[in-house]
């Protein structure tokens, strides 16, 4: 009996030894960072694919002419210098020394011009530049010139912004690819090299330090300054299950979660090696898109009634929980805490939500009992949470709600329909805009109010459009702010979209693996250090 | 035997074709448009139309299906709309984790379930039988992902014996491979164990009531010999059938298991493809699974001949 017990124990011990898991065993002398992104890297062409995940990975591999710093100001990055003629029509750019692609070829002005030619066909700001372009030409290996027919004061911002698609610089042969087709070679001049043969779509992507990269000497500040890589290798590990991702961080199988599910954040409190903090100080703007082309939201008074009834705290808490550090009221269409934030014209949303008055407006217009089609993405937790709040609110206002539980992919298709809801159209869907995109009108598609050419919902308001044009033409911060005030007042008056609050997301990392973490509009892999 | 194989292969190809056509039709009849997903929020209607044309999605559906089927017959499953990578290469890349998971799960299930079913049949009405029956019901009722979270909580989070996620390929060594596959296989095996155990028990009870068993007992055969030599062989047909049928259960379960344990297998690839609307990839994976299923059924049909000579007549 004893012998049998001993044998059992020995067998079990042997099995456990064979299968014992010790993350430390997997470590080599290299500094490896294991990062879990918020989404999977399903393609790797940052011009063709505009997903944030693609952009974030691309930031390591490709470099940009300028980089936005923490004051949202564009700073020279690949450039040594730039100059603009007094009439604002001729921009001349000179590349800095030491720029090398990962295939060991030098970066030349020809590569830059080819890259900009591709980018400008897919980017909102690029298209604006293209519309006033006279020529874009190479002057010599390090210098190129962009001649315009009209001044474009936002040139530096356009070439350095973090909004996708970013003006990344690629070798000319790769940049020659049709912007509506994917590149198949991933060669950049950024601080990390993409290890293509290790890429498992949707599961794993690997980046290795590019030793020939020469960082700028200025201190790092978001996308500006020296991009000093202290890790030899960065592994992007996609973990689709939120609970598994959190568990993997707690057990030390990964080092950094870009965006853990807020519901699971309390699990970190019992784990002393895990730290949390705000990932992106520019946060997310939660938006309720109303279809301005169909009843009842073709009536501005109905839109205002909805706006006055919306309680931003209900929405924000449904997304990130009740921790006050992770959400705040937003009484402007521009990102809180940034230079263009203004509450001019925001009186309607700055008062306490007034459900009674809103319900009365709906009733007086004979709309009580009207059916609204609300599209809600069940595959996006935040979208579902916000959609549920809206469904309840609309019922409280006296509407009937047709709750369309679907996927984000299906919403992306259906939201294009301008038909009545009963014929395959819609009345409401929700989305979120990155706070990086809402700092100014440049990449702020949700703010546009140019009717058929506007974003889904197709709001029409000439004052908003005039304000946006003024911002583009503004050459001083004061003029930009004046334009922002005009935009905000007009957008609030017409309710371009319903503001459902401003949320900040947590990131979580292991303090025994990473030091010097810093919040930024996107996960930055330079500046952080192995611990 | 050759005719049997030929007949089964022929019907397998027809089944695969019907599956392919059905999946193609369902995909294209369902709402959603991959071009809008690919184009991104900034894209204009013209941009979306251009992307659709580049991907061939603007062509008539019959033309798209014929083109795809023609490609398949030449070994070309098309390319993923999203990654631009060949579908066949993606399937081959993701095959190992899924097959590992399914094979190891089957091994666990057979090792656990058949003895459990035999033991339950050996003492009908006993506490042992009722216990095994109760465990079987629980195993069959609890969803795979719930079991997955439970075993992860115990073995990964608390005991720190096994990793909570990921997959180590066999080329990294047997130990790491086993380590990575153990928890997901345990999670996936519970309902499979229940299915096989209950079938084994029923088949054994029936076998143990046969005249030849009574004869064996009267000749003084031991219980073990009766159970494992005389009765078990006659249970092979229903048990092997349910093992084969259970592969379908495994394919479905693998989708959830691979997501819970972040295993880069075909199930997860399929889920990602469905969520994005990556038509060629969905069609390729479903076709692959249907071939696997047809193949397993063929092997089972041939195995029947080994277990029961009457089948070969």
């Amino acid at each position: 009996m004893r012998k049998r017990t001993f044998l059992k124990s020995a067998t079990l011990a042997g099995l456990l030894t064979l299968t014992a898991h010790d993350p430390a065993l997997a470590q080599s002398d290299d500094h490896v960072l294991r990062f879990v992104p918020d989404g999977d890297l399903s393609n790797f062409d940052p011009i063709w694919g505009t997903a944030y995940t693609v952009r974030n990975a691309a930031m390591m591999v490709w470099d940009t002419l300028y980089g936005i710093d923490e004051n949202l100001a564009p700073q020279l990055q690949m450039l040594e210098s730039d100059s603009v003629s007094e009439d604002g029509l001729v921009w001349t750019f000179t590349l800095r020394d030491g720029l090398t692609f990962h295939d060991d070829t030098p970066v030349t002005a020809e590569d830059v011009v080819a890259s900009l030619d591709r980018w400008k066909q897919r980017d909102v700001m690029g298209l604006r530049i293209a519309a006033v372009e006279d020529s874009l030409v190479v002057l010599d290996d390090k210098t190129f010139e962009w001649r315009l027919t009209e001044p474009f004061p936002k040139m530096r911002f356009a070439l350095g912004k973090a909004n996708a698609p970013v003006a990344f610089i690629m070798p000319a042969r790769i940049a020659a690819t049709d912007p509506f087709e994917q590149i198949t070679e991933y060669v950049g001049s950024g601080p990390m090299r993409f290890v293509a043969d290790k890429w498992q779509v949707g599961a794993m992507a690997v980046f290795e330090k590019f030793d020939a990269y020469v960082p700028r000497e200025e201190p790092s500040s978001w996308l500006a300054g020296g991009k000093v890589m202290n890790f030899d290798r960065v592994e992007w590990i996609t973990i689709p299950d939120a609970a598994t991702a959190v568990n993997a961080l707690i057990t030390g199988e990964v080092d950094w979660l870009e965006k853990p599910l807020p519901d699971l954040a309390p699990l970190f409190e019992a784990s002393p090696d895990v730290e949390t903090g705000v990932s992106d100080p520019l946060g997310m703007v939660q938006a309720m898109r109303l279809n301005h082309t169909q009843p009842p939201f073709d009536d501005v008074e109905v839109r205002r009634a909805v706006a006055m009834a919306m309680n931003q705290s209900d929405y924000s808490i449904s997304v990130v929980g009740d921790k006050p550090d992770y959400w705040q009221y937003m009484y402007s269409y521009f990102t809180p805490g940034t230079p263009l934030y203004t509450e001019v014209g925001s009186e309607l949303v700055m008062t306490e939500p007034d459900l009674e008055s809103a319900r009365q407006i709906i009733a007086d217009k004979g709309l009580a009992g009207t059916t609204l089609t609300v599209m809600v993405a069940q595959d996006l937790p935040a979208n579902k949470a916000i959609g549920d709040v809206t469904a309840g609110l609309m019922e409280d206002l006296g509407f009937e709600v047709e709750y369309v539980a679907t996927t984000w992919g299906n919403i992306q298709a259906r939201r294009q329909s301008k038909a009545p809801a009963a014929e395959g159209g819609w009345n409401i869907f929700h989305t979120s805009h990155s706070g990086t995109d809402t700092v100014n009108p440049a990449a702020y598609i949700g703010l546009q109010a140019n009717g058929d050419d506007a974003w889904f919902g197709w709001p029409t308001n000439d004052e908003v459009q005039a304000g946006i044009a003024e911002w583009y033409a503004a050459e001083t911060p004061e003029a930009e702010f004046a334009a922002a005030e005009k935009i905000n007042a007009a957008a609030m008056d017409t309710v371009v979209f319903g503001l459902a609050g401003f949320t900040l997301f947590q990131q979580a990392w292991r303090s025994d693996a990473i030091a010097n973490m810093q919040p930024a509009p996107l996960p930055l892999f330079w500046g952080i250090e192995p611990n | 035997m050759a005719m049997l194989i030929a007949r089964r292969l022929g019907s397998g190809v027809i089944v695969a074709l019907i599956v392919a056509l059905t999946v193609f039709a369902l995909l294209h009849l369902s709402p959603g448009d991959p071009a809008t997903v690919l184009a991104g929020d900034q894209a204009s209607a013209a941009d979306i139309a251009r992307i659709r044309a580049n991907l061939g999605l603007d062509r008539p559906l019959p033309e798209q299906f014929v083109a795809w089927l023609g490609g398949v017959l030449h070994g070309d499953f098309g390319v993923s709309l999203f990654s631009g990578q060949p579908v066949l290469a993606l399937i081959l890349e993701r095959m190992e984790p899924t097959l590992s998971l399914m094979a190891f799960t089957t091994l666990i299930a057979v090792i656990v379930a058949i003895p459990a079913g035999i033991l339950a049949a050996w003492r009908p009405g006993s506490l042992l039988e009722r216990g095994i029956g109760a465990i079987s019901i629980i195993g069959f009722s609890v969803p795979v992902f719930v079991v997955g979270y439970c075993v992860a909580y115990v073995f990964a989070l608390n005991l720190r014996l096994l990793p909570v996620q990921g997959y180590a390929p066999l080329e990294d060594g047997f130990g790491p491979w086993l380590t990575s596959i153990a928890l997901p296989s345990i999670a996936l095996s519970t309902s499979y164990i229940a299915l096989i155990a209950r079938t084994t028990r029923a088949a054994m009870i029936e076998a143990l009531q046969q005249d030849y068993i009574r004869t064996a007992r009267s000749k003084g055969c031991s219980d073990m010999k009766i159970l494992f030599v005389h009765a078990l062989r006659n249970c092979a047909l229903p048990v092997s059938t349910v093992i084969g049928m259970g592969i379908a259960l495994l394919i479905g379960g693998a989708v959830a298991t691979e997501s819970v344990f972040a295993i880069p297998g075909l199930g997860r690839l399929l889920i990602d493809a469905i969520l994005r609307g990556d038509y060629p990839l969905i069609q390729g994976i479903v076709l692959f699974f249907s071939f696997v299923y047809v193949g397993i059924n063929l092997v089972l049909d041939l195995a029947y001949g080994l277990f029961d000579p009457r089948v070969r007549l």
Side-chain angles (χ1 to χ4, degrees):
Chain A
M1 193 66 183
R2 277 184 192 170
K3 186 178 172 186
R4 191 178 298 169
T5 307
F6 169 77
L7 284 173
K8 276 186 193 170
S9 305
T11 306
L12 182 64
L15 273 173
L16 293 182
T17 305
L18 178 68
T19 60
H21 175 71
D22 180 359
L25 292 175
Q27 302 295 320
S28 66
D29 291 339
D30 283 353
H31 294 302
V32 179
L33 174 67
R34 294 158 306 173
F35 171 75
V36 180
D38 184 38
D40 64 339
L41 193 66
S42 58
N43 74 79
F44 200 36
D45 182 341
I47 306 300
W48 180 85
T50 55
Y52 290 136
T53 313
V54 177
R55 177 209 51 188
N56 297 349
M59 280 288 179
M60 286 188 276
V61 176
W62 287 282
D63 212 346
T64 52
L65 299 172
Y66 297 87
I68 298 293
D69 68 11
E70 60 194 29
N71 299 312
L72 300 173
Q75 305 293 346
L76 300 174
Q77 183 53 257
M78 291 175 80
L79 296 174
E80 183 63 47
S81 64
D82 65 4
S83 64
V84 58
S85 62
E86 272 192 33
D87 60 6
L89 298 181
V90 183
W91 287 82
T92 308
F93 307 89
T94 304
L95 295 170
R96 66 183 173 98
D97 291 331
L99 299 175
T100 309
F101 283 119
H102 302 156
D103 59 1
D104 297 326
T105 58
V107 179
T108 66
E110 187 190 351
D111 299 309
V112 177
V113 167
S115 299
L116 295 177
D117 273 334
R118 185 170 191 251
W119 164 80
K120 76 188 182 196
Q121 296 178 64
R122 294 301 307 266
D123 180 69
V124 169
M125 292 190 89
L127 287 164
R128 280 181 177 265
I129 299 171
V132 296
E133 179 187 296
D134 179 45
S135 63
L136 173 59
V137 292
V138 173
L139 298 183
D140 61 42
D141 271 359
K142 290 180 65 179
T143 316
F144 64 100
E145 184 182 78
W146 214 333
R147 286 181 172 271
L148 309 175
T149 56
E150 286 175 31
F152 191 79
K154 299 293 181 283
M155 177 67 83
R156 292 186 182 97
F157 184 84
L159 301 181
K161 66 180 176 61
N163 324 94
V166 174
F168 288 117
I169 304 306
M170 303 176 177
R173 70 176 185 282
I174 299 172
T177 308
D178 181 332
F180 291 88
E181 290 182 9
Q182 278 193 73
I183 60 172
T184 53
E185 202 184 346
Y186 312 101
V187 176
S189 62
M192 299 292 279
R193 195 173 57 83
F194 184 61
V195 187
D197 60 348
K198 294 281 184 193
W199 182 27
Q200 277 194 308
V201 174
M204 161 85 88
V206 176
F207 308 85
E208 285 176 350
K209 187 175 179 179
F210 179 49
D211 291 330
Y213 180 77
V214 181
R216 292 188 76 89
E217 289 180 3
E218 300 94 329
S220 171
S221 174
W222 284 4
L223 308 180
K227 298 177 181 175
V228 178
M229 282 300 310
N230 299 307
F231 285 91
D232 301 298
R233 180 180 166 104
V234 174
E235 294 177 357
W236 275 36
I237 301 161
T238 306
I239 303 180
D241 187 89
T244 303
V246 165
N247 290 342
L249 186 72
I250 290 169
T251 59
E253 292 169 46
V254 298
D255 305 315
W256 181 6
L257 297 193
E258 182 184 3
K259 198 187 283 183
L261 197 67
D263 294 358
L264 301 173
L267 294 173
F268 296 133
E269 289 164 14
S271 189
D273 293 326
V274 174
E275 287 188 34
T276 60
V278 169
S279 56
D280 174 6
L282 298 180
M284 297 291 279
V285 175
Q286 303 297 343
M288 180 198 287
R289 296 300 297 187
L290 305 165
N291 189 342
H292 290 234
T293 67
Q294 294 293 334
F297 298 126
D298 56 347
D299 182 343
V300 68
E301 288 182 38
V302 179
R303 296 198 298 270
R304 286 179 191 149
V306 169
M308 76 166 66
M310 289 173 74
N311 188 340
Q312 291 190 15
S313 66
D314 289 348
Y315 284 101
S316 298
I317 289 169
S318 77
V319 176
V320 293
D322 58 0
K323 268 193 173 179
D325 295 350
Y326 291 101
W327 68 273
Q328 63 189 82
Y329 289 100
M330 180 176 177
Y331 302 131
S332 170
Y333 277 101
F334 295 103
T335 311
T338 61
L340 297 191
Y341 182 86
T342 171
E343 295 175 356
V344 168
S346 302
E347 293 76 12
L348 186 71
V349 297
M350 289 175 75
T351 52
E352 278 291 305
D354 188 350
L355 197 61
E356 273 311 310
S357 301
R359 191 185 291 124
Q360 193 58 52
I361 292 168
I362 304 300
D364 291 347
K365 289 187 167 286
L367 293 170
T370 302
T371 300
L372 296 180
T373 299
V374 182
M375 302 192 292
V376 185
Q378 306 297 294
D379 54 335
L380 302 178
N383 196 284
K384 182 183 183 317
I386 282 181
D388 291 346
V389 174
T390 286
L393 175 65
M394 294 303 150
E395 285 172 351
D396 288 345
L397 288 174
F399 292 110
E400 293 288 323
V401 172
E402 186 205 2
Y403 184 101
V404 180
T406 184
T407 64
W408 182 243
N410 289 346
I411 289 176
Q412 284 178 299
R414 185 167 171 176
R415 70 186 181 182
Q416 295 182 77
S417 171
K418 292 178 185 173
E423 296 168 26
W426 56 277
N427 296 112
I428 296 174
F429 77 89
H430 296 88
T431 189
S432 55
H433 299 290
S434 164
T436 315
D437 293 349
T438 60
V439 294
N440 61 36
Y444 199 165
I445 48 176
L447 189 62
Q448 296 282 340
N450 47 344
D452 281 348
D453 293 327
W455 207 53
F456 306 103
W458 309 282
T460 305
N461 188 287
D462 294 342
E463 284 295 298
V464 171
Q465 293 310 109
I468 291 171
E470 283 174 29
W471 178 82
Y472 265 102
E475 298 195 18
T476 64
E478 293 76 17
E480 286 183 357
F481 189 71
E485 287 183 321
K486 183 174 181 175
I487 295 166
N488 193 66
M492 285 285 176
D493 183 60
T494 197
V495 192
V496 167
F497 64 84
L499 281 169
F502 178 72
T503 53
L504 295 155
F505 286 97
Q506 242 183 5
Q507 60 182 347
W509 67 95
R510 289 191 66 86
S511 56
D512 56 359
I514 311 173
N516 202 24
M517 285 287 285
Q518 48 199 312
L522 52 102
L524 299 180
F525 296 88
W526 50 85
I528 55 173
E529 296 167 7
N531 224 355
Chain B
M1 188 59 87
M3 278 302 292
L4 176 73
I5 294 171
R7 273 204 313 271
R8 288 285 183 267
L9 281 175
S11 61
V13 169
I14 291 165
V15 167
L17 271 174
I18 292 167
V19 167
L21 182 60
T22 308
V23 169
F24 183 89
L26 286 173
L27 281 176
H28 287 273
L29 289 173
S30 63
D33 177 6
T36 60
V37 179
L38 289 168
D41 283 346
Q42 288 192 7
S44 64
D47 291 344
I48 294 168
R50 190 168 162 183
I51 288 169
R52 200 175 283 126
N54 280 354
L55 298 173
L57 297 172
D58 58 341
R59 291 149 66 194
L61 286 186
E63 193 183 316
Q64 286 186 50
F65 180 71
V66 169
W68 175 75
L69 195 61
V72 168
L73 293 174
H74 290 92
D76 177 11
F77 284 63
V79 296
S80 159
L81 299 182
F82 285 77
S83 70
Q85 296 182 355
V87 167
L88 191 58
L90 284 168
I91 290 173
L92 294 174
E93 183 185 79
R94 300 299 187 86
M95 212 159 61
E96 188 198 314
T98 301
L99 293 182
S100 293
L101 181 63
M102 288 167 69
F104 196 59
T105 300
T106 305
L107 183 69
I108 292 172
V110 167
I111 288 171
V112 174
I114 291 178
I118 293 169
L119 287 173
W122 181 42
R123 291 280 182 266
S126 68
L127 198 62
L128 178 72
E129 190 218 17
R130 276 180 283 178
I132 289 170
I135 291 167
S136 292
I137 289 166
I138 292 167
F140 207 77
S141 308
V142 180
V144 167
F145 69 91
V146 173
V147 181
Y149 288 138
C150 292
V151 294
Y153 178 75
V154 174
F155 294 103
L157 272 175
N158 279 352
L159 299 176
R160 300 289 169 103
L161 289 173
L162 295 162
V164 77
Q165 57 83 40
Y167 173 77
L170 265 168
E171 67 183 21
D172 289 0
F174 182 75
W177 174 82
L178 189 59
T179 298
S180 68
I181 213 77
L183 285 185
S185 298
I186 292 167
L188 186 54
S189 66
T190 51
S191 56
Y192 203 25
I193 288 169
L195 183 70
I196 298 169
R198 289 181 70 79
T199 306
T200 306
R201 174 190 160 277
M204 283 294 286
I205 286 173
E206 191 182 341
L208 290 170
Q209 291 167 348
Q210 300 302 311
D211 290 345
Y212 64 85
I213 297 292
R214 195 179 310 122
T215 305
R217 277 210 175 99
S218 64
K219 285 166 65 181
C221 273
S222 68
D223 278 354
M224 286 303 112
K225 195 170 179 183
I226 287 168
L227 286 172
F228 290 96
V229 177
H230 294 290
L232 185 58
R233 186 167 177 178
N234 285 287
C235 297
L237 227 60
V239 171
S240 59
T241 301
V242 89
I243 289 171
M245 293 296 112
I247 299 292
L249 194 78
L250 284 190
I251 290 170
V255 172
T257 310
E258 287 176 6
S259 291
V260 168
F261 289 97
I263 293 175
L266 285 170
R268 211 174 112 193
L269 190 66
L270 180 62
I271 286 286
D272 290 343
I274 289 168
L275 286 173
R276 282 196 290 262
D278 197 338
Y279 299 155
L281 192 51
I282 298 168
Q283 287 158 204
I285 297 169
V286 171
L287 193 64
F288 172 80
F289 277 140
S290 66
F291 276 133
V292 167
Y293 198 58
V294 165
I296 285 165
N297 276 307
L298 176 64
V299 170
L300 279 173
D301 286 346
L302 299 177
Y304 289 165
L306 298 175
F307 296 129
D308 187 349
R310 290 171 297 180
V311 174
R312 295 198 292 263
L313 295 174

